[in-house]
Amino acid sequence: MAASWAAPLLRTTAAPRNVTATLLPLLPLLATVVLLAFPLAQVQAGGRGGLGPADVASGVLVLVGVARAVRDRARPLSGAAAVVIGAPAVAIALATVTAADPAAAVPGFVRYLQVFVLVPAAVLLVVRDARDFRLVIGAFAALALVQGAIGVHQYATGTGASYAGADIRAVGTFGASDVMGMATVVAYGLLGAAALALGARRADAPRWLGPVAAGAAVLLVVPLALSFSRGAWIATALAALAVLLLSGVRRALAVLAVAAAAGVVLVGGFGVGSAAMGERLGSITEVADAPDRSVTDRYAMWAAAQDMWRGAPVTGVGLKGFPDHRDAHASVGLSSGSDTAGAGQEFQRQPLLSPHNMYLLILSEQGFVGATAFVGCWAALLVGGARRLVKGRGRGPGARDVGLAAVALLLWQTVDFLYADIGGPSTVLTGIVLGLAACWALAPLPEADTA
């Protein structure tokens, strides 16, 4: 049930709003996204950098959300929203105080609190209607287009990250130490734009939104493919298929037919990345029979994370505890690190500091308590968002495009967490995605008066 602060959202037609007053609270949110389009300083070894400009902007966003809640003099979040968003805070606090070295766990506590609690709550407080939501998705798409264009240039000129002996992997401005950064950003932009395009006809959205969003989604397919990220490919395919089906079976079949034809033309006719991409696609089916070195290491780290959890099933080994406990639980087959080079970075050995699976990372460091809180939060948002989307089908115009975007982004994130975890500058976007999902699942998002 919507909180009292969200009462203005319950109106089917919002009153005319002052544009400046509307955009001001959104500026820190938009800045958090846009700042990731600029080149970042070299990250530290292991791909974990320090505080970046986007993180600073997210801090301002949290302060703006708190200020808005105080100004409105109303209950900031509904009971359901407080439970769903607040549950992870309890889990990470418990994992911090029960860690072998609580002081060493504090940085992890701050990062988890930022990404999974404070930023989502702030997004829920500052995004008031479908127009605000679309502005954020537009920022996602703009960021993806910029990073994607840089990535395509890297592939074409051989200035990307090293892949199979050639510097052709598209990584944008994130560098070779954060090969998932550009793939994540591009996937967000692609799915958000596709959702707006699919739902624009059945929403009170501007007429130009559908064609522009569709064009952006099509363009972003290329840099996503050139990222050579198997996890991002799988998550994007599943999320896109789900959104297509939610938008209508007939439309889904038509879009899939067009996409298949375009793929045949690009890869078969023009040979766009056909050899390297075919090899990468083929490796997805070989993860069990003939896994490559990266997959073997990942399996070893997954096994280590599970073994850590068996030793501390309730609260885990503590935040930031995986690297310290890894060698005691990993098999001798685990390598010391992965090789990274290219995209302006010299060759270096990147240590394996996490299991590259968010669920196993939480399970090993936070135990059953943390896994229940986090998975329960994400499941509640995903089920609630999909349920609202299905229930609203056929009820006339509304914010259907917004609902499709919220479900697509959250579904992508939950699937991608099977192959990746938090880390790197783009991590702050995860908090925004969770906040957007909460806006759709936990509070009404009507259309704004465009007058």
Side-chain angles (χ1 to χ4, degrees), residues 1 47 71 78 111 114 122 139 143 150 184 188 211 228 241 247 264 272 303 311 329 345 351 357 368 384 435 447-448:
M1 183 177 295
R71 186 200 65 183
S78 68
R111 187 59 159 169
Q114 172 206 13
L143 171 64
I150 296 173
T184 298
Y188 284 159
F228 296 107
L241 180 60
S247 67
V264 170
V272 178
H329 296 271
Q345 176 182 301
N357 181 306
F368 180 76
E447 297 297 329

Side-chain angles (χ1 to χ4, degrees), residues 290-299 332-337 349:
D292 56 31
R293 185 70 205 178
S294 65
V295 175
T296 302
D297 285 341
R298 188 163 300 187
Y299 285 163
V332 294
L334 179 65
S335 64
S336 60
R349 193 74 171 164

Side-chain angles (χ1 to χ4, degrees), residues 118-146:
L118 296 180
V119 171
V123 173
L124 188 58
L125 290 171
V126 302
V127 174
R128 291 303 182 95
D129 54 40
R131 184 172 62 183
D132 291 351
F133 196 111
R134 292 188 189 110
L135 283 173
V136 180
I137 296 299
F140 270 50
L143 171 64
L145 288 169
V146 171

